[in-house]
Amino acid sequence: MSDFTPAPASADLGVFGLGVMGANLARNLARHGHSVAVFNRTLARTERLMERYGSEGDFVPASDLKDFVASLRTPRVAIIMVQAGAATEAVIEELSALMEPGDIIVDAGNTLYTDTRRREEALRERGLHFVGMGVSGGEEGALLGPSIMPGGTAESYNRLGPMLESISAHVDGEPCCTHVGPDGAGHFVKLVHNGIEYADMQLIAEAYSLLRYVAGLSVPEIAEVFRSWKDSELDSYLIDITTEVLSRTDPVTGRPFVDVVVDAAGQKGTGVWTTQTALELGVAVPAIAEATFARAVSSAAAARAAVRAADLAPGTSESTLSGQDREAFIDAVKQALYGSKIAAYAQGFDEIATASAQFGWNIDLGAMARIWRGGCIIRARFLDDITRAYNSTGSADNASNADNEDAHLASLLTAPVFASALVQALPAWRQVVAISALTGVPAPAFASSLAYVDQLRADRLPAALIQGQRDFFGSHTYHRVDDPEGIYHTLWAAPERTEEKWN
Ligand code: NAP
């Protein structure tokens, strides 16, 4: 067994946790000329990293945690890359006990932002900086250039930023890393990134399903349709990998790969967190929620088997598209996908804007779209348009504050580039959702995204009726259109049902 005893204050920063992500992040830092202290609970991982990749750069391995901390230059920076939850909590405790005021602990795992806020506050009281940092791009991104979303103090970013920006992905010469905002802002933005990723994947999957089961295309034909969409506003990493997955043939059976995979989608929980958080904040994110529910439905094996056995098919029609109809439908699905994608991203940005205003994070929404252009799973050409749309409108706190005269962009849907895209997409999108309903080929995220847009554009919503119902059974009161500030209640039980003004 090795005994690594590093020289004191010899490393620029350290990485604790050398699993898949931590090892690759440490290698990325070393390859960019940073001297990186490395430590892992189980020494074998540190040894393996040194054996295989020790020559890639200046690694400073340590067998003992005290030596690891002592090897860091002050103010010390230690990046934790271990499982979120109890493991991260335990490591923060161990590390913070050895660190000094002014030092910086970075949690780079997928931690829920509320935990980050709590930990940041506790460590701040002890004089330590705590940075919750979102890292996107998986294993390959960590090694070759991820999108990085650090929160925490501006002071900690002064120390961390140059190192992080050097290892992040770059697009048009700009790093896909920026200081997101205080305390939990970085982990929050990473959370919503993952929620948007769920929605984007579900929408693409629905497009595939409609092309297959309504338009009657073969899997290789659908792969070609997706390939052709690369030359459009839909161009994205997720479209690229969809084309790859659909182009693959199973070597064992000779069937399309997608047909030999069990149709039950897994999840690690960030879709659930994004949806739960949106519910808590009172923000509508139906595309993200629908995508999360769709994974749950796909995995509900017993219910699916029972309902299939019951053969509940009345009212559905078989698809018989051919020739020009089929071509028109393919184009309609493309438009529905783009419209739904705009709606899904608008929802995600709305969630960020709302949290930013609530917690005083002052998040620059355009910068968030900018740092998602490279390195991460939702990287796409489309994000350039989002950056441009927000650039003239300032921070999220302004965007979400309807009373603020600077609130130019209360919804991404109203940015001219997206408003005109929606006007163009809506007729085809409506047809696609209608055909989905008539044929019984489900497209829940297409449908709920359309309903989201229709709700926002409606002159009047049936919410007025709900207010009446609430006032009837619970005296919950209502405002009148001719007195929006006044609080009213109708005496529903009284014979004359008179209205009272309560305030
Ligand atoms: P991993 O390969 O399973 O490695 C887990 C690491 O955590 C190991 O170094 C392990 O040490 C350490 N660990 C676990 N419990 C510990 C404890 N109680 N005390 C000290 N160390 C402990 O995991 P990973 O895929 O690298 O993921 C790490 C984090 O990155 C997670 O929060 C994950 O959500 C996040 N993340 C992952 C991805 C991805 O694509 N994989 C992308 C973004 C973010 P031992 O060797 O001693 O077991």
Side-chain angles (χ1 to χ4, degrees):
M1 196 188 278
S2 315
D3 180 17
F4 297 121
T5 314
S10 53
D12 297 326
L13 80 172
V15 176
F16 182 130
L18 303 175
V20 179
M21 291 294 287
N24 280 359
L25 203 67
R27 290 173 62 198
N28 189 353
L29 283 159
R31 287 169 168 199
H32 280 85
H34 307 292
S35 140
V36 190
V38 285
F39 179 81
N40 194 70
R41 177 181 62 176
T42 311
L43 183 61
R45 274 198 212 258
T46 315
E47 291 175 331
R48 201 178 320 143
L49 176 76
M50 293 310 295
E51 267 164 38
R52 293 192 187 163
Y53 308 110
S55 60
E56 286 185 343
D58 186 9
F59 291 102
V60 182
S63 320
D64 179 85
L65 184 60
K66 272 196 192 120
D67 291 342
F68 169 75
V69 173
S71 74
L72 304 172
R73 282 194 195 113
T74 54
R76 298 177 186 85
V77 174
I79 299 179
I80 302 171
M81 196 46 132
V82 307
Q83 270 96 358
T88 298
E89 190 89 38
V91 172
I92 291 170
E93 269 313 304
E94 289 173 47
L95 265 177
S96 60
L98 296 170
M99 294 183 96
E100 290 173 328
D103 289 347
I104 303 166
I105 296 178
V106 182
D107 170 15
N110 274 333
T111 295
L112 187 60
Y113 79 102
T114 45
D115 286 340
T116 307
R117 281 170 64 77
R118 174 175 54 76
R119 290 170 182 156
E120 195 274 339
E121 191 183 345
L123 291 183
R124 189 169 3 111
E125 282 169 13
R126 292 158 62 182
L128 296 171
H129 295 278
F130 182 67
V131 174
M133 181 168 94
V135 180
S136 177
E139 195 179 334
E140 194 185 280
L143 181 63
L144 302 177
S147 173
I148 310 181
M149 294 150 256
T153 58
E155 193 185 339
S156 61
Y157 194 77
N158 288 341
R159 168 87 167 88
L160 273 174
M163 292 188 284
L164 296 177
E165 290 179 16
S166 74
I167 64 157
S168 75
H170 282 70
V171 175
D172 300 335
E174 291 180 302
C176 294
C177 172
T178 192
H179 181 225
V180 175
D183 58 79
H187 273 147
F188 190 94
V189 165
K190 172 61 168 43
L191 177 68
V192 175
H193 164 284
N194 283 27
I196 291 174
E197 178 185 309
Y198 270 58
D200 209 338
M201 291 169 73
Q202 174 68 20
L203 292 168
I204 290 171
E206 290 179 13
Y208 148 79
S209 181
L210 291 162
L211 292 176
R212 186 157 186 191
Y213 302 112
V214 176
L217 299 186
S218 68
V219 175
E221 285 171 334
I222 299 170
E224 283 317 305
V225 169
F226 277 108
R227 201 182 304 281
S228 71
W229 289 352
K230 192 168 169 47
D231 295 325
S232 74
E233 61 285 348
L234 289 170
D235 179 24
S236 67
Y237 170 74
L238 283 172
I239 292 285
D240 286 348
I241 66 166
T242 301
T243 307
E244 294 292 323
V245 173
L246 292 176
S247 300
R248 179 172 162 78
T249 302
D250 174 47
V252 179
T253 60
R255 294 167 59 198
F257 167 78
V258 72
D259 286 350
V260 299
V261 176
V262 173
D263 58 346
Q267 51 183 318
K268 284 193 176 168
T270 45
V272 172
W273 279 352
T274 314
T275 305
Q276 278 176 342
T277 301
L279 290 170
E280 283 158 16
L281 291 169
V283 183
V285 292
I288 297 169
E290 212 58 77
T292 310
F293 289 140
R295 291 195 190 191
V297 172
S298 76
S299 302
R304 286 180 65 188
V307 174
R308 280 185 68 194
D311 195 20
L312 308 177
T316 57
S317 64
E318 290 284 313
S319 149
T320 51
L321 294 180
S322 60
Q324 278 187 337
D325 286 350
R326 186 186 268 191
E327 287 308 310
F329 186 72
I330 293 170
D331 188 57
V333 169
K334 181 183 177 192
Q335 302 219 41
L337 177 56
Y338 189 46
S340 300
K341 182 169 165 148
I342 293 170
Y345 279 66
Q347 293 160 25
F349 276 91
D350 193 19
E351 185 165 351
I352 296 174
T354 304
S356 179
Q358 178 150 332
F359 301 119
W361 285 336
N362 208 26
I363 295 176
D364 178 343
L365 297 175
M368 297 307 103
R370 196 182 70 233
I371 65 170
W372 290 347
R373 290 182 309 160
C376 67
I377 306 297
I378 62 170
R379 59 185 182 261
R381 193 197 291 188
F382 164 82
L383 289 160
D384 273 327
D385 287 335
I386 299 186
T387 301
R388 275 192 288 273
Y390 280 122
N391 267 356
S392 55
T393 61
S395 77
D397 301 20
N398 287 342
S400 65
N401 181 356
D403 298 331
N404 190 321
E405 297 204 339
D406 292 329
H408 302 302
L409 201 55
S411 167
L412 199 57
L413 304 182
T414 60
V417 62
F418 298 125
S420 65
L422 286 176
V423 167
Q424 206 184 336
L426 274 167
W429 190 0
R430 293 188 192 291
Q431 271 179 353
V432 168
V433 170
I435 290 172
S436 153
L438 289 170
T439 55
V441 176
F446 274 20
S448 70
S449 300
L450 178 60
Y452 172 78
V453 175
D454 279 336
Q455 287 178 85
L456 288 177
R457 53 175 284 284
D459 286 338
R460 291 279 295 159
L461 287 171
L465 175 59
I466 290 171
Q467 285 300 83
Q469 293 165 335
R470 293 178 70 240
D471 190 59
F472 189 104
F473 67 68
S475 302
H476 292 302
T477 72
Y478 52 90
H479 303 292
R480 292 180 54 94
V481 292
D482 49 9
D483 181 14
E485 299 301 320
I487 296 174
Y488 290 86
H489 169 60
T490 291
L491 300 173
W492 296 98
E496 64 281 13
R497 297 196 161 173
T498 46
E499 185 179 66
E500 291 181 339
K501 183 169 182 181
W502 285 7
N503 210 328

